[in-house]
Amino acid sequence: MSRPTTLPRPQSVCQICDSIIGRRLYSTKPALSSRIATRPRSQISQNVPRANSSQKRLLASAVLPTKKTISGSSKSRDALEEQDKKVKPTPRSARDELSSVTNMMTYLEKNKTRVLSNRRIPPESDVNAALQACFVLADYIMDDSVQPQISHMIKESDSAAAELLSLDSTKGSRSKTSETMTAHITAQVKRIIDEISNTAYAVLSHPPVFITPELLEKYVDVQARLVRPETFSQIFQLYASKPMPRESSGSISYVAPNPNKVANAIESKVIEKALDVAIEKKNIDAAVGIIENGYGTKAFIRNKLLRRAVLPAGTFAATPFAAYLLASNFSSFQTAMDSASATNVAFVGILTYVGFTASLGMVAFTTANDHMKRVTWAPGVPLRLRWVREEERAALDKVACAWGFREKWRQGEEEGADWDALREYIGQKSMVLDQAELMEGMDY
């Protein structure tokens, strides 16, 4: 039996798929577009229609005919799966850590408990993970662009605030309600910030935790993001004097360290960052404590001598040998005296020239005060101490400039208990605050 010529030709699989899915999507498009402005994004995705299993099979056969270009169906499937993995979004569990205030606190408490509940010496990776969690939350909380989202989280999670809002709105005092809610949200944000700061301090001050330079820098980053410099001096002290844990036969013992060791010196960039936070917060006690436990320690001075004085000292020690070799070579170029006498004369001349020039350079370097603004050295301080303690003087100078008047013509007129205490502290360090001879217009 022959096929009638009047019957329509069958449609292709692509056309069938387009007609089936297109009708469904078209039918829901007006209702979906009308509800976009009033529904959250999570509800919008639920209204999009999904194709059933037969439609998915048709769609797969219609959209993926190019699989044959790759040799073998298994290879094409693997290639497509790899492509899907590349564009796979971030796991929902990682994104949900900051989706609400409760999740934030849970995320923070989980990392804190992992360190504090460990009966053995916590590994550095767990401590670093706890501090990293604090830094992530601190960076999120202190970001101005997410402050409205945090306020919305607090409004949704706090039922008491919602009840207060409804009661006040019935009385018609909407302005008072708004102020109350703003104060409540501010208090909640401050509580979260306090919890993050306290968690970081509790983790690093935990007795079995050994503070490494990386952990100390991470802690300073966390507190700097939160603008909380109050604990920097205590942590700097712990870094140098905290007993080192030792685990043996299931028990932990502690060994008292030497706080003056070179290894216990804090890096200058870490101290500088902590000092900037204290100045930003206008906390003069924290600033002085940071300088005292950072630049003013023997460990920092020894570390500076080891890093910056070894090469000059080695050069100075090798100078006589180099001068004698040069003198012995120069003696062969003359005939006025014997070789031994010429060598001695040349040796003394070279040492005299090098010693005199080096002395002038050292005096000029250690007595230069063009970079000093308000804090200078007291008369009689040895030049070697001026060079060794230059970072401490520069830090105190920075603090004095931050707390004093900006106008140069008003400097020296500051008053108050904090300023008097700072002046007295600087005097105890063999330094002078606002030396009259060096002030502008007082060079008589």
Side-chain angles (χ1 to χ4, degrees), residues 364-376:
F365 178 75
T366 53
T367 57
N369 58 3
D370 295 338
H371 59 287
M372 302 180 186
K373 297 180 180 179
R374 304 195 65 173
V375 178
T376 56

Side-chain angles (χ1 to χ4, degrees), residues 190-209:
K190 184 178 180 298
R191 185 183 64 83
I192 297 174
I193 293 175
D194 291 341
E195 186 65 25
I196 298 173
S197 178
N198 295 336
T199 298
Y201 182 80
V203 167
L204 213 60
S205 62
H206 189 47
V209 172

Side-chain angles (χ1 to χ4, degrees), residues 85-208:
K85 289 179 181 178
K86 290 181 181 179
V87 298
K88 188 175 181 180
T90 307
R92 187 174 181 83
S93 59
R95 294 176 299 176
D96 288 345
E97 298 289 357
L98 305 178
S99 60
S100 66
V101 176
T102 305
N103 288 353
M104 290 182 192
M105 295 296 100
T106 303
Y107 176 61
L108 191 65
E109 189 66 25
K110 179 178 65 176
N111 288 275
K112 175 183 176 182
T113 305
R114 188 180 303 170
V115 176
L116 300 184
S117 63
N118 195 343
R119 297 183 178 179
R120 307 178 66 179
I121 299 177
E124 185 179 351
S125 58
D126 290 349
V127 182
N128 190 25
L131 292 178
Q132 181 63 26
C134 294
F135 181 77
V136 169
L137 290 180
D139 188 67
Y140 182 77
I141 290 292
M142 301 303 293
D143 191 358
D144 294 336
S145 61
V146 300
Q147 290 296 329
Q149 301 178 14
I150 299 174
S151 301
H152 182 68
M153 292 178 189
I154 296 174
K155 287 180 182 179
E156 287 186 346
S157 61
D158 197 345
S159 59
E163 292 176 2
L164 179 62
L165 177 62
S166 62
L167 290 174
D168 288 343
S169 61
T170 57
K171 298 178 181 179
S173 55
R174 296 186 179 272
S175 60
K176 184 177 179 181
T177 301
S178 177
E179 294 177 359
T180 304
M181 285 298 300
T182 302
H184 177 75
I185 292 171
T186 304
Q188 291 294 328
V189 172
K190 184 178 180 298
R191 185 183 64 83
I192 297 174
I193 293 175
D194 291 341
E195 186 65 25
I196 298 173
S197 178
N198 295 336
T199 298
Y201 182 80
V203 167
L204 213 60
S205 62
H206 189 47

